[in-house]
Amino acid sequence: MTEFVAAIDQGTTSTRCIVFDAHGSIVATAQKELTQHFPRPGWVEHDASDIWRDAHEVTRAAIGEAGLTARDVAAIGITNQRETVVVWDRRTGEPVHRAVVWQDTRSGELVAGLAAEGGQDRFREATGLPLATYFSGPKVRWLLDQGLRERAERGELACGTVDSWLIYKLTGRHLTDVTNASRTMLMNLSTLDWDDALLDAIGVPRALLPEIRPSVEIYGEAIAEGLEGIPVAGALGDQQAALFGQTCFAPGEGKNTYGTGSFLLLNTGTEPVASTAGLVTTLAYRIGDRDPVYALEGSIAITGALVQWLRDNLGIICSADEIEELAASVDDTGGCYVVPAFSGLYAPHWRSDARGVICGLTRYVTKAHLARAVLEATCWQTREVAEAMRQDAGVELSSLKVDGGMTVNSLLMQLQADILGVPVIRPAVAETTALGAAYAGGLAVGLWPDVDALRAHWREDAAWRPERSRDGDYGQWLKAVERSTGWID
Ligand SMILES: Nc1ncnc2c1ncn2[C@@H]1O[C@H](COP(=O)(O)OP(=O)(O)O)[C@@H](O)[C@H]1O
Ligand SMILES: O=P(O)(O)OC[C@H](O)CO
């Protein structure tokens, strides 16, 4: 058995492939930025052909960069932006529409209609999810309503989240992993199968959907050029992959990933825990035919994306890393709070009528204060979901494991420790999302015997301890959140 695993990490803003060795160390990386399309306010699209082209290209590049050939790679694991939907023609294998991205709000009216009939939580018991534009089912329904329904019912079209699209292009098989399926609002959390009542209510024919498989399993051999014969052997939604990569295998273990959005997940064991505090109940992973493991999740739509907005829409910084120096040039935000409700508010509020606000502006406030308030917005939103976690699972955080693109920002990490009041700990391999996918692939082909073998790989890189309590400012943040709601009628 060869000792290398390639992990494809298809994120919202970029696609990368990382080759890991049997110790979980990075051997080679290749990455491509993904073009974002914003055709109307609230709409976010990706070109699914770009997604596949980039994934194919970076995988071949990373394997080459590692000095390997396809024969030296034990498995390809996949991790991906979740909820985003792709619909393709089964005959040509080509997409019939741009992918509708998780942040996209075009299904707002559909979602409001469904909520009017049975309340926002009508599918919560079956799916663990509140009705929101975030999840895939209503996005699929919107796509079918664009003249695709008849073809879908005749079985000519296939649909899936990004894992499913990549597995299809890699192996020719139409499958999805159970963690991704749990984000569609079409899968029943207990049966782990598509639920006819949900399919009916949301208006999605079963014929369109992939088969739901465990997260750790050999799905098939790659047939894509240059990758022929590599087992495609594990898939997890990116937030679940980060939980896996952080080796949070025991109930009560959790992590927060800071990327385009931020997602705090807590392993709750083999029984789903229902949320009453605005969190989402979701699949954490399933290894082969063993009992599935569930998680509670605090999903925050916009964190790193707010830094991008400061860069691309306002031009206040030229690159994301410039925000740290600018924000550090002042001691506080000058009383300014930014609530980035660009796609409404996700956990714990689930308010699709919210839109972004900046509160507390005076003539004193400079771009440096604004930059600092942008960083604090990530931290305050995280505090809100951590509080919800305490209410739902009775878990009092004693520290927080972190990862994701924003965690290179030390000021942000210090602000997070201050605002949460607990130490924030970053592991040596910050690419935990890709690592989790590599672990899933490697476990499936027997590179590692079990999850216990993976724990030994986790090492701390840096920790930030609370230096200044910010409890006194939390009320002000909540007031700002209140002001963002009720904007859309
Ligand atoms: N130094 C930094 N400070 C703050 N945010 C950053 C920094 N560097 C990158 N980011 C943000 O991190 C995000 C990218 O993280 P990544 O984990 O690659 O995201 P994704 O997986 O969602 O594509 C971007 O939204 C970017 O704005
Ligand atoms: O692409 P990321 O890393 O921001 O993750 C997106 C999430 O999976 C959305 O649920």
Side-chain angles (χ1 to χ4, degrees), residues 95-395:
V96 295
H97 196 280
R98 282 220 192 111
V100 180
V101 176
W102 58 278
Q103 295 164 322
D104 190 291
T105 59
R106 77 186 63 188
S107 61
E109 268 182 41
L110 266 165
V111 165
L114 286 163
E117 285 168 22
Q120 192 178 20
D121 284 333
R122 63 183 284 200
F123 303 135
R124 228 187 215 283
E125 200 184 326
T127 66
L129 312 173
L131 261 169
T133 56
Y134 177 28
F135 304 108
S136 320
K139 296 183 199 291
V140 179
R141 163 72 186 272
W142 185 93
L143 283 167
L144 294 181
D145 289 349
Q146 310 312 301
L148 296 174
R149 181 166 296 279
E150 278 185 17
R151 291 184 67 198
E153 280 166 357
R154 284 201 300 268
E156 291 171 17
L157 302 179
C159 173
T161 39
V162 170
D163 58 313
S164 186
W165 170 238
L166 293 179
I167 292 171
Y168 174 78
K169 293 303 263 186
L170 282 164
T171 68
R173 303 188 66 195
H174 189 206
L175 311 172
T176 189
D177 114 275
V178 69
T179 68
N180 276 289
S182 76
R183 318 295 300 185
T184 58
M185 198 165 248
L186 303 172
M187 188 194 83
N188 188 299
L189 264 191
S190 310
T191 64
L192 307 185
D193 190 10
W194 306 121
D195 181 312
D196 287 325
L198 295 166
L199 296 179
D200 242 32
I202 299 177
V204 175
R206 200 180 258 267
L208 195 62
L209 298 173
E211 186 186 340
I212 302 174
R213 303 299 315 165
S215 333
V216 175
E217 180 182 88
I218 299 177
Y219 303 125
E221 282 195 351
I223 50 172
E225 195 188 332
L227 306 175
E228 291 93 343
I230 307 177
V232 177
L236 293 152
D238 55 8
Q239 305 309 322
Q240 286 88 342
L243 191 75
F244 212 77
Q246 290 266 27
T247 65
C248 296
F249 301 128
E253 293 184 331
K255 64 84 210 181
N256 197 22
T257 302
Y258 299 79
T260 304
S262 288
F263 302 85
L264 205 166
L265 268 73
L266 182 79
N267 180 325
T268 59
T270 51
E271 291 299 324
V273 173
S275 174
T276 54
L279 300 176
V280 156
T281 307
T282 199
L283 258 293
Y285 54 88
R286 185 176 193 196
I287 299 178
D289 56 9
R290 287 191 224 162
D291 285 345
V293 174
Y294 293 86
L296 273 172
E297 171 177 318
S299 333
I300 304 167
I302 304 285
T303 55
L306 184 60
V307 176
Q308 288 173 334
W309 179 78
L310 205 67
R311 182 193 66 189
D312 302 339
N313 297 45
L314 300 194
I316 287 177
I317 47 174
C318 296
S319 67
D321 53 349
E322 278 181 21
I323 194 172
E324 186 165 0
E325 195 181 334
L326 182 60
S329 68
V330 288
D331 289 333
D332 55 37
T333 68
C336 173
Y337 289 81
V338 183
V339 183
F342 296 168
S343 309
L345 286 171
Y346 290 5
H349 306 286
W350 301 108
R351 292 289 297 257
S352 48
D353 63 348
R355 284 299 178 268
V357 293
I358 303 178
C359 294
L361 290 178
T362 60
R363 288 206 55 189
Y364 174 78
V365 170
T366 63
K367 62 182 180 180
H369 295 113
L370 191 61
R372 201 170 172 107
V374 159
L375 294 184
E376 287 201 358
T378 292
C379 307
W380 289 120
Q381 291 185 99
T382 301
R383 172 151 176 174
E384 286 190 284
V385 295
E387 301 256 346
M389 227 34 111
R390 185 160 53 81
Q391 278 181 49
D392 272 341
V395 172

Side-chain angles (χ1 to χ4, degrees), residues 25-110:
S25 300
I26 294 177
V27 178
T29 302
Q31 175 164 356
K32 285 201 79 178
E33 291 301 307
L34 180 65
T35 305
Q36 313 285 309
H37 300 275
F38 306 109
R40 294 190 200 178
W43 289 30
V44 186
E45 297 179 347
H46 292 159
D47 194 322
S49 305
D50 287 353
I51 289 180
W52 164 240
R53 188 203 55 223
D54 292 355
H56 192 193
E57 222 171 279
V58 295
T59 307
R60 285 194 295 182
I63 292 172
E65 174 76 25
L68 305 173
T69 67
R71 261 191 296 180
D72 306 315
V73 180
I76 293 176
I78 294 172
T79 181
N80 57 286
Q81 54 168 320
R82 308 166 304 167
E83 300 94 16
T84 299
V85 292
V86 183
V87 177
W88 65 94
D89 185 321
R90 288 186 194 273
R91 196 175 47 81
T92 63
E94 295 304 319
V96 295
H97 196 280
R98 282 220 192 111
V100 180
V101 176
W102 58 278
Q103 295 164 322
D104 190 291
T105 59
R106 77 186 63 188
S107 61
E109 268 182 41
L110 266 165

